[in-house]
Amino acid sequence: QVQLVESGGGSVQPGGNLRLACEASGNTYRMAWFRQAVGKEREGVASIRMGGTDRGTEYYADSVKDRFTISQDAAKNTVYLQMNNLQEVDTAIYYCAAGTRTVNLYNWHSESRYSSWGQGTQVTVSS
């Protein structure tokens, strides 16, 4: 397992942008972002294979596909989540996750595929 440290959360108005970052203490195979809103279960937002060079290594939840972009800097063991056009429904605690297991279109959002988790960072979208 690796230690994960998230940064970049905050408060924005609807339509605003935020960029989250998550640095791992060591090499990982895959990293992802999950989020949990008050009263709801944690859900997968996006996932990426570290060191991957083609877009096929990325997965997104349908609700964020056209607004969020996951990217990685494998040399820094860091994954980013660029969030554009944020809406109030995006308000949640965002968690970084890392794992060594392969994933596919049907299981990338399963928490069991990831063995390390960050503490979470709050994202609040409100007018």
Side-chain angles (χ1 to χ4, degrees):
Q1 292 187 355
V2 296
Q3 303 299 314
L4 303 174
V5 179
E6 301 113 331
S7 61
S11 297
V12 296
Q13 294 185 339
N17 305 328
L18 280 175
R19 189 192 195 204
L20 305 182
C22 174
E23 182 176 1
S25 60
N27 293 331
T28 63
Y29 176 73
R30 177 163 287 274
M31 295 183 74
W33 290 97
F34 285 72
R35 67 185 181 184
Q36 186 168 22
V38 174
K40 295 188 177 181
E41 294 185 353
R42 190 156 57 182
E43 63 175 358
V45 176
S47 178
I48 190 168
R49 180 166 64 87
M50 301 302 284
T53 57
D54 58 82
R55 298 303 296 270
T57 66
E58 302 168 14
Y59 298 101
Y60 292 92
D62 288 343
S63 60
V64 307
K65 189 172 297 184
D66 297 326
R67 301 183 294 123
F68 293 8
T69 301
I70 191 169
S71 61
Q72 46 100 355
D73 186 336
K76 297 182 178 179
N77 296 324
T78 299
V79 65
Y80 305 96
L81 186 68
Q82 178 66 43
M83 304 185 293
N84 296 334
N85 190 23
L86 282 160
Q87 303 300 316
E88 293 186 357
V89 295
D90 297 314
T91 295
I93 298 175
Y94 284 70
Y95 297 91
C96 178
T100 59
R101 303 179 70 180
T102 58
V103 301
N104 58 39
L105 179 62
Y106 305 101
N107 65 17
W108 70 266
H109 47 74
S110 173
E111 295 184 28
S112 64
R113 309 306 291 187
Y114 306 91
S115 54
S116 300
W117 292 84
Q119 293 299 309
T121 184
Q122 177 71 47
V123 171
T124 302
V125 185
S126 174
S127 56

